[in-house]
Structure formats: C-alpha cells, structure tokens
Amino acid sequence: MIHPTAVIHPKAKIGSGCEIGPYCVVGENVILGEKCKLHSHVVIDGHTKLGNRNEIFPFASIGLKTQDLKWNGGITRTEIGDGNTFREYVTIHSATSDGEVTRVGSHNHILAYCHIAHNCTLGDKIIMSNVATLAGHVTVEDFAVIGGLAAIHQFCRIGKMSMIGGCSKVVQDVPPFMMADGNPAETRIVNKVGMERNGISDEAQSALKQAYKILFREGLTISNAIAKVEKKSPLLPEVKHLIQFGPRERTRHQQITLPFFRAKD
C-alpha cells in the first residue's frame, strides 16, 4: 500500500490500511491514522497528527513551518481529525509559537489551492471552495461554507452554519447562521438554505430571521440590539449561540478592531 518512490521517515507512525502514493514525503514526527490515502506528491512534515480516513490529493502540503515572521523556533503542531478531504495544492501550516497548534476538525471538504495559515482552528463539516484563504488565528465553526477566492483576515471568526460569498474580502467576524458577501464583506441575510440542509427547525429559522432584522437593520447600538433580541426573540439554542458569539475583547496579538455587527456603537 506504500509506493516504492515514497519517502517515509523510519520514525513516522503509519496507521494500518494507509495508502501512500508515488513521490509522497512523510516526515519524522508525523502520525497518520488508519486508512488515510495520500494520492501522490503529498508532503506531510513537522509535528503533525492526522486521524483516520483522511484523503489527500496531489501536491498538498501539511504541517510545514509557518510563514509568520514571528516564528522563533520551538515545537509547534498541526492536528487534524477524521474523514477530511484535502484537494490539490492545499496548504496547512503549523502554528507560530512553541507549544501552539493549528487544528482542523473532522469531515471537512477543503478544495484545491485553499490555504489554512498558522494557529487557525476549524471545526467539523466545513466547506472551503477553491482558493479560499484563511490568514493566521482564524476560527471557523461547524458547517460554515467559504466561497471560492474568498480571503479571511487574521483573527476573524466565521460562525456556525454561515456562508461567505465567492471573492469576498472578510475583515470582520461573520455571525453564525448568516450570509456575508462583498468587498469588504457585510452580513446580507440569514443563510436559509444552509439551515434547511442542516436540519434547523422552522421555529429556529424564524427566530433567527427576527434576530437578524434587529441586529442588522434597525441601526441600534450593539448592546441595545442584543438586549432587544433577548427580549423579543425566543431564546432557542440557535439564537443564544448567535448573541453569545457577539463582541469580544481584542487579543494581545490583534492589530485591528473586528466589529461583530456593522452597526453604530
């Protein structure tokens, strides 16, 4: 199941049933779970761990050193769950500082030429279309869809079950259950199709639509908008997740302010 032209370090740990194709390179500190498939010309290096049944297509590069100029040595890691697909030329970089991790969950579909930078954290069942790009320290929650050629600025958060239009420039957080589009991207409407596909109840969809109108259409300050949602909308789990996703303090690394809502405050 391992092609004779593949170069695998003798200390790498390869799970049972793995297929490793021609000209792949697997580094010393790599752990592959069971039944992973590396098609050909795949490079996996660094302190990198993959779970089971991941499929990686030609010329993908996973776990190599960050491009961040703040890198100053140490052990940084890349951790990936189960059942992911990484298409051609996908790049996933290790974290920047000693002890930090770039993390990708399970059952994600990462299409050709996508980039996941240092210290990103991805949940499960995410779709990144061709050439979508995540800068460092980006968080993407479960079931999000990122359109082709979209660029996400560092430290942004992409909420659960949100959708970002192709070619968008995202410089602020994208709230859960919403659709964002544009340059710069703005929240446009609730992601109705995405919610239907993922089994969100009609009651929750209606409540989220009401919350959207309050948060993004009434011109309220952030604090007043959230207070009105809590008063007017049924506090279903989805609505709670939306309002709890809201404003946050800047981290010590953050260089720009990332407003949750495009509203006066």
Side-chain angles (χ1 to χ4, degrees), residues 137-139 152-158 170-173 258:
H137 298 273
V138 168
T139 298
I152 316 300
H153 197 283
Q154 62 194 44
F155 293 100
C156 285
R157 296 176 299 162
I158 310 302
V170 178
V171 296
Q172 63 179 5
D173 295 343
L258 299 172

Side-chain angles (χ1 to χ4, degrees), residues 81-126:
D82 302 326
N84 297 287
T85 299
F86 302 110
R87 294 299 312 220
E88 295 82 356
Y89 291 96
V90 165
T91 52
I92 304 174
H93 287 170
S94 187
T96 293
S97 299
D98 186 32
E100 295 180 343
V101 180
T102 299
R103 184 172 284 111
V104 178
S106 297
H107 308 293
N108 299 296
H109 197 47
I110 312 300
L111 302 189
Y113 292 91
C114 286
H115 177 62
I116 299 172
H118 63 91
N119 296 85
C120 285
T121 300
L122 279 68
D124 301 331
K125 298 185 178 179
I126 294 159

Side-chain angles (χ1 to χ4, degrees), residues 44-67:
I44 305 178
D45 207 349
H47 289 79
T48 300
K49 180 179 180 180
L50 283 79
N52 302 324
R53 300 179 305 282
N54 292 289
E55 186 172 11
I56 308 170
F57 283 78
F59 302 102
S61 173
I62 297 176
L64 275 70
K65 187 180 82 173
T66 174
Q67 296 177 120

